Amino acid sequence: MDAIILQILNGLDKGSAYALIALGLTLIFGTLGVVNFAHGALFMLGAFVAVTVNRVLTLSFTTVDETRTDFLGNPAKIETTYAETWFGPAVGGWMIEWAVPLAILVAIPVMALIGLVMERGLIKHFYKRPHADQILVTFGLAIVLQEIIKFYYGANPIPTPAPDAFRGSFDFGVLLGFDPMTIIYPYWRLVYFLFAMVVIGAVFAFLQFTTFGMVVRAGMADRETVGLLGINIDRRFTIMFAIAAIVAGLAGVMYTPILSPNYHMGMDFLVLSFVVVVVGGMGSLPGAVLAGFLLGILQSFASMSEVTAILPGINQIIIYLVAIVVLLTRPRGLMGRKGVMEE
């Protein structure tokens, strides 16, 4: 039982990332009808926003302390960060330690701007083009962004630590009545799951309970009728593209302590997230979230040593096998809408 609970926790961790990226993908497809293969790159850019914030906060300068000497007897050289100099040792040290959560404040405007520029500068020209054209141009854009990150940040993963308060592990089993140290789970992975729940809940609440969201949902159902009412639905859809970019960016920011950012992480998650979207149903927001968590849990169970000993490599292909089964039995996915991608 403890192994099952642990795998469920691992699955929720992976599923949170899949669900957040798939949610943004579905927002873009549901509003604009665009198959955005650059969405994984937005996840990657969010991660590198966190890397950049961490690097900026840890920029330092060297001073010579004549009162101290090194092991050779020379005056000691002291490295001092600019953050500690500007804000004081206590506040500056706190900012450096909490660089990843603070990066959220930077990522929101940055990712919104990137989303707006991407949509206005490129995507809008492909609204009425075939989906194959959309896939080609957005995939090309993803490669360009990937190579830019590789040029400026290098090809190696860049460790970005979580705050000290969340670097340990939580004895989850004690809460469920198990013996101590039976189910140990990292704090930050639990934080990521809770963060994903907050973001997903905020997006659904925004679409369900605000006037803006209601108009967007109406536009997703019947764009022409909403336009005839005198509402500039295109502008609202552009804002939704920016919101989708923010969701992907925030998912990347908070994932950096779990997976050290690298230039190809966007592509790694993109393929899996598209499978999640297809399984959940193209254009279905609840389907994307549900499929993300279900496939994350399934992949986690398939990674157990007892399973891989019988079926080597099953953890690498299980999601695709499930996608094949679902599409053979339910071509529209678990919660897909009639008419989507069927023209």
Side-chain angles (χ1 to χ4, degrees):
M1 181 59 69
D2 58 323
I4 292 175
I5 294 173
L6 183 60
Q7 294 308 318
I8 291 175
L9 290 173
N10 286 331
L12 292 176
D13 159 35
K14 296 178 182 178
S16 297
Y18 296 159
L20 285 175
I21 301 175
L23 179 63
L25 276 168
T26 306
L27 277 174
I28 293 174
F29 181 80
T31 55
L32 303 174
V34 175
V35 182
N36 181 22
F37 258 67
H39 200 72
L42 296 175
F43 175 79
M44 173 198 66
L45 291 175
F48 278 93
V49 168
V51 170
T52 303
V53 169
N54 184 65
R55 285 188 173 182
V56 169
L57 291 176
T58 54
L59 285 175
S60 62
F61 60 93
T62 304
T63 57
V64 177
D65 188 350
E66 300 288 349
T67 64
R68 299 166 58 185
T69 58
D70 58 20
F71 68 98
L72 294 176
N74 299 318
K77 294 181 179 180
I78 308 299
E79 291 288 334
T80 306
T81 63
Y82 286 101
E84 292 174 317
T85 301
W86 294 337
F87 303 102
V91 176
W94 178 85
M95 293 175 67
I96 293 172
E97 180 184 344
W98 291 79
V100 171
L102 287 176
I104 292 175
L105 303 177
V106 179
I108 291 174
V110 169
M111 296 308 302
L113 179 61
I114 291 174
L116 291 173
V117 171
M118 184 184 297
E119 194 274 338
R120 289 288 86 189
L122 180 66
I123 303 297
K124 74 173 185 178
H125 301 292
F126 289 84
Y127 287 162
K128 297 182 180 179
R129 300 281 289 272
H131 291 306
D133 292 354
Q134 297 170 1
I135 291 173
L136 287 173
V137 71
T138 54
F139 187 75
L141 177 61
I143 293 176
V144 170
L145 293 174
Q146 177 177 287
E147 291 303 314
I148 290 174
I149 292 296
K150 182 181 178 181
F151 177 79
Y152 284 103
Y153 291 89
N156 296 323
I158 304 174
T160 310
D164 290 339
F166 297 104
R167 290 188 190 180
S169 296
F170 175 62
D171 195 342
F172 197 83
V174 173
L175 292 179
L176 303 176
F178 290 92
D179 293 334
M181 309 301 289
T182 302
I183 304 176
I184 303 297
Y185 203 71
Y187 280 117
W188 191 257
R189 291 178 181 266
L190 293 173
V191 169
Y192 189 81
F193 170 69
L194 295 175
F195 174 80
M197 291 294 95
V198 171
V199 172
I200 292 170
V203 171
F204 277 92
F206 175 74
L207 292 174
Q208 189 71 28
F209 301 115
T210 66
T211 302
F212 186 99
M214 292 177 186
V215 172
V216 168
R217 286 191 291 115
M220 292 171 68
D222 193 337
R223 181 172 184 160
E224 292 184 1
T225 301
V226 173
L228 291 174
L229 295 175
I231 298 174
N232 190 341
I233 193 65
D234 291 337
R235 179 179 301 174
R236 292 173 186 260
F237 283 174
T238 299
I239 294 174
M240 290 307 300
F241 193 101
I243 291 175
I246 291 172
V247 171
L250 294 182
V253 167
M254 294 295 284
Y255 208 74
T256 52
I258 298 174
L259 176 67
S260 297
N262 57 74
Y263 72 97
H264 57 77
M265 67 184 300
M267 288 295 185
D268 295 342
F269 276 88
L270 173 69
V271 176
L272 292 173
S273 297
F274 256 102
V275 174
V276 169
V277 170
V278 172
V279 170
M282 294 295 289
S284 172
L285 296 176
V289 174
L290 175 64
F293 284 110
L294 287 178
L295 292 179
I297 292 173
L298 188 60
Q299 188 179 42
S300 179
F301 276 102
S303 300
M304 296 176 66
S305 57
E306 294 86 351
V307 177
T308 55
I310 301 173
L311 299 170
I314 187 64
N315 57 315
Q316 301 296 322
I317 63 172
I318 186 64
I319 288 182
Y320 305 103
L321 292 177
V322 172
I324 292 172
V325 172
V326 169
L327 292 179
L328 286 175
T329 56
R330 292 182 62 88
R332 292 174 186 153
L334 297 177
M335 303 178 69
R337 302 198 314 267
K338 181 178 180 179
V340 178
M341 295 289 285
E342 293 181 348
E343 65 275 13

